[in-house]
Amino acid sequence: MLPPSAARTTHTFAIACALFVTPAFGQDSTTGYASQHDLAVHGVFEAREQDWRNGAIVYQVLVDRFVPPANLDAKRALYPAPKVLHRWSEEAKRGKYVASANVWSHELDFWGGDLPGVTSKLGYLQDLGVDVLYLNPIHLAYTSHKYDALDYLKISPEFGTPQDMTRLTDETHARGMKLVLDGVFNHMGRNSDKFREAQSNANSRYRDWFFFGDQYPGGARGWFQAANLPELKLENPAVRDYVYAKPDSVVQTWLRAGVDGWRLDVAPDIGPKYLAELTAAAHSAKPGSLVVGEIPNYPKEWFPAVDAVMNFTLRDVILNTVNGRIAPSVAAAMIDRTVQDSGIEPLLKSWLLLDNHDNDRLAHVLPKVPQRRLAQMLQFTLPGAPNLYYGSELGMTGGEDPANRSPMRWDLVRSSNPTLQWTKQLIQLRKDHRALRIGDFRLVSSGRLLAFERYTDRVQDTVVVLANPGKTPVTERVLIANSKLMNGSSLVDLLSSDAKPVRVLASMATVTIPPGGFSVLAPDVRPAGGYSVFKRVQ
């Protein structure tokens, strides 16, 4: 049975009205001091702001493909045949199956990127506005993607040394960013010493670390029957001790060494019981650390076994709404149900991605720029932590793996790149508006738009999002159920200085959204002529 869903934080209309009848927001009617309920409401948002995991901007890096090596010739010996070292200008292409290695040839294609290279580009990430650097696996492994671990506690020599990792960790923190590693704990690589010994010796102490039997292709159970990825027997306490349970385990050792969290590969395969144990062990080793699961399932019952998920559900809703396969009103209902079922707290920590190393790049899925911009706008305004896949902020394209894993196009990093400037604008929008990072979520009542509100305990934080993915303009009157939006006040567009303000009358607003367009609105609380309708409402 899956663990119960996390408790939800909701704020009903009745609560808003209760606050409204006090002499002033935040004061008790008899004492003049903050009420217990108001303190609780305010405390929720303040606590969220103190937690780096909420609403962070996450940037994903494949180390081998991110930065050209400083001295390629010095590294050539690290790539013996059948491995192939490519020029940085070459794109990743699908290869042939190499039976002797039980992998595809493109899994043995390398470009030479390493940890010092990542460290050299931390300034770029900081300037972009990144809060969290997430690295695909860096541990010792045979392939270029490193999802076939040989030793979790060693760094692959192609990527560098322990000292390189220490420097990357320290400099990431010095720039105010966090560092999350990829944990591949459902399976190891067939070339690992533990598996080789277990396979060759029935009396080995590692024999019960894996699943052996004639019913399995190749004699051992592999993830999705992949011979190169023998699954770990997590039912064995010794395996759990090695992976996460003991202080010297993989999970705890890396956290104590300075990293800030784990992204767990194929997390549903690990199962809720062991995920919950792993998460507890991570928090014990480093309070406040992040455990985010690669969980494409509906997220509801995977909390609190993990702190967060990679939110594939909202990704699907966004992409299929933008391309016209889901009606805006249906999308609104889907998003609202996901938030209500899962709870806002874990969703704020969950990574909201549009592409990554396993999915076609956004520019490939949505080749039309207006559609991409609409999708990105939703990614940066819905609850969660936007996950940027390296190069997507530049408009890099690429279809199915391995085409989506080509080396970073540093030649596209220029001020004239409209995709880069748009991404920066969205990141800044999120940093400037508290509700987009840590706010609650509710729908704006609309018939033909995908419309919602992000809000906190302060009216000035309110952000209203209106999206029209259709092919015709939409003009309609919508209900914004925010009791603090004063009658006669105006909403201004945060992404367009030319847009006319939208007036709020009796909680209603008439809006016109062009086909494929959107508006991101916020209340104008500035005094006009020394007077503001928000003078006693905060």
Side-chain angles (χ1 to χ4, degrees):
M1 179 179 293
L2 298 176
S5 62
R8 303 179 202 142
T9 301
T10 58
H11 304 291
T12 64
F13 182 80
I15 289 173
C17 289
L19 288 175
F20 229 94
V21 298
T22 58
F25 280 97
Q27 290 187 348
D28 183 87
S29 59
T30 55
T31 66
Y33 293 105
S35 67
Q36 289 299 312
H37 179 269
D38 200 33
L39 282 172
V41 171
H42 283 263
V44 165
F45 296 106
E46 290 172 354
R48 289 178 189 171
E49 284 185 293
Q50 297 302 313
D51 191 335
W52 65 269
R53 302 172 296 180
N54 289 323
I57 305 297
V58 183
Y59 192 93
Q60 176 187 355
V61 164
L62 278 167
V63 174
D64 178 64
R65 314 290 165 88
F66 191 51
V67 181
N71 188 349
L72 185 59
D73 288 336
K75 299 182 63 178
R76 291 189 183 279
L78 298 173
Y79 309 93
K83 296 179 180 181
V84 177
L85 185 59
H86 291 269
R87 295 188 304 274
W88 201 260
S89 59
E90 295 183 77
E91 295 183 351
K93 297 179 180 179
R94 192 161 187 82
K96 299 179 180 179
Y97 191 72
V98 182
S100 60
N102 286 304
V103 297
W104 289 83
S105 61
H106 57 258
E107 296 180 80
L108 302 178
D109 288 342
F110 290 79
W111 273 260
D114 50 32
L115 295 173
V118 177
T119 302
S120 73
K121 293 298 184 179
L122 289 178
Y124 168 76
L125 299 182
Q126 186 179 25
D127 179 66
L128 189 62
V130 170
D131 300 308
V132 178
L133 171 60
Y134 152 50
L135 302 179
N136 285 95
I138 62 170
H139 46 238
L140 182 64
Y142 184 62
T143 62
S144 56
H145 55 69
K146 307 301 178 188
Y147 283 94
D148 55 332
L150 306 182
D151 190 326
Y152 295 111
L153 293 173
K154 293 181 179 179
I155 295 171
S156 266
E158 308 98 328
F159 292 170
T161 66
Q163 292 75 24
D164 293 328
M165 183 60 188
T166 298
R167 183 184 171 212
L168 173 61
T169 304
D170 290 346
E171 294 202 18
T172 299
H173 290 159
R175 293 177 180 269
M177 295 184 286
K178 302 291 185 179
L179 182 62
V180 172
L181 298 185
D182 207 329
V184 192
F185 304 132
N186 174 72
H187 49 265
M188 294 189 73
R190 65 184 291 272
N191 294 309
S192 67
D193 290 341
K194 291 179 175 59
F195 179 73
R196 284 182 169 179
E197 180 181 327
Q199 187 179 41
S200 62
N201 181 5
N203 295 318
S204 167
R205 62 174 176 151
Y206 297 121
R207 184 72 178 185
D208 199 37
W209 280 44
F210 304 91
F211 299 88
F212 291 100
D214 295 337
Q215 70 271 34
Y216 304 120
R221 191 173 90 185
W223 181 71
F224 271 75
Q225 298 186 340
N228 190 46
L229 305 176
E231 292 202 316
L232 284 163
K233 187 181 286 187
L234 291 168
E235 291 77 5
N236 182 347
V239 175
R240 300 199 299 275
D241 286 347
Y242 168 68
V243 173
Y244 62 79
K246 287 193 172 182
D248 61 351
S249 64
V250 175
V251 167
Q252 296 195 45
T253 295
W254 280 106
L255 288 171
R256 290 194 174 94
V259 304
D260 302 290
W262 289 97
R263 176 265 193 190
L264 301 180
D265 184 57
V266 298
D269 292 78
I270 296 174
K273 176 182 176 181
Y274 300 133
L275 286 175
E277 292 179 1
L278 188 156
T279 299
H283 293 171
S284 174
K286 190 166 192 173
S289 56
L290 173 67
V291 177
V292 56
E294 184 199 23
I295 298 177
N297 308 37
Y298 191 61
K300 177 181 178 181
E301 293 181 282
W302 291 92
F303 309 119
V306 291
D307 298 318
V309 300
M310 299 184 71
N311 204 330
F312 288 94
T313 298
L314 291 192
R315 172 184 181 269
D316 190 275
V317 173
I318 291 172
L319 295 179
N320 284 288
T321 300
V322 170
N323 65 25
R325 293 184 183 138
I326 298 177
S329 59
V330 176
M334 289 176 172
I335 295 169
D336 188 55
R337 178 170 184 176
T338 302
V339 174
Q340 296 304 321
D341 284 351
S342 305
I344 189 68
E345 297 292 347
L347 287 190
L348 290 174
K349 299 173 180 62
S350 293
W351 292 0
L352 186 46
L353 70 158
L354 295 179
D355 54 7
N356 72 353
H357 63 291
D358 289 325
N359 296 278
D360 296 359
R361 284 188 178 271
L362 180 62
H364 184 86
V365 177
L366 299 174
K368 295 180 179 179
V369 172
Q371 286 188 322
R372 282 210 304 275
R373 290 200 169 195
L374 176 55
Q376 286 180 285
M377 184 279 295
L378 293 172
Q379 179 189 25
F380 279 83
T381 55
L382 285 167
N387 187 338
L388 294 171
Y389 183 41
Y390 77 94
S392 285
E393 78 277 12
L394 306 175
M396 279 182 62
T397 189
E400 184 181 4
D401 171 27
N404 56 0
R405 302 182 184 187
S406 288
M408 176 72 165
R409 291 283 307 276
W410 289 105
D411 59 302
L412 297 178
V413 180
R414 52 181 183 265
S415 59
S416 60
N417 185 329
T419 302
L420 177 59
Q421 296 310 313
W422 171 245
T423 304
K424 284 187 173 184
Q425 187 177 0
L426 290 174
I427 292 173
Q428 193 60 49
L429 173 76
R430 196 173 179 90
K431 290 184 178 295
D432 289 343
H433 294 276
R434 181 180 184 234
L436 296 179
R437 301 190 307 275
I438 51 93
D440 285 342
F441 171 92
R442 64 184 161 213
L443 295 180
V444 169
S445 298
S446 169
R448 291 179 290 163
L449 300 172
L450 171 52
F452 58 89
E453 180 188 2
R454 301 295 305 282
Y455 66 99
T456 72
D457 52 332
R458 305 187 312 214
V459 67
Q460 63 265 33
D461 292 339
T462 303
V463 175
V464 175
V465 178
L466 307 163
N468 174 19
K471 297 180 179 180
T472 58
V474 171
T475 296
E476 64 177 2
R477 199 153 176 80
V478 299
L479 170 66
I480 306 172
N482 186 325
S483 302
K484 294 182 181 181
L485 280 180
M486 300 298 286
N487 193 54
S489 61
S490 295
L491 301 173
V492 296
D493 199 307
L494 299 174
L495 293 175
S496 174
S497 58
D498 298 329
K500 293 181 179 180
V502 174
R503 198 173 185 199
V504 178
L505 294 171
S507 305
M508 308 288 286
T510 299
V511 297
T512 298
I513 309 298
F518 51 84
S519 289
V520 179
L521 307 174
D524 186 352
V525 299
R526 296 171 300 176
Y531 180 82
S532 171
V533 293
F534 293 98
K535 60 185 181 293
R536 294 192 178 95
V537 178
Q538 298 178 352

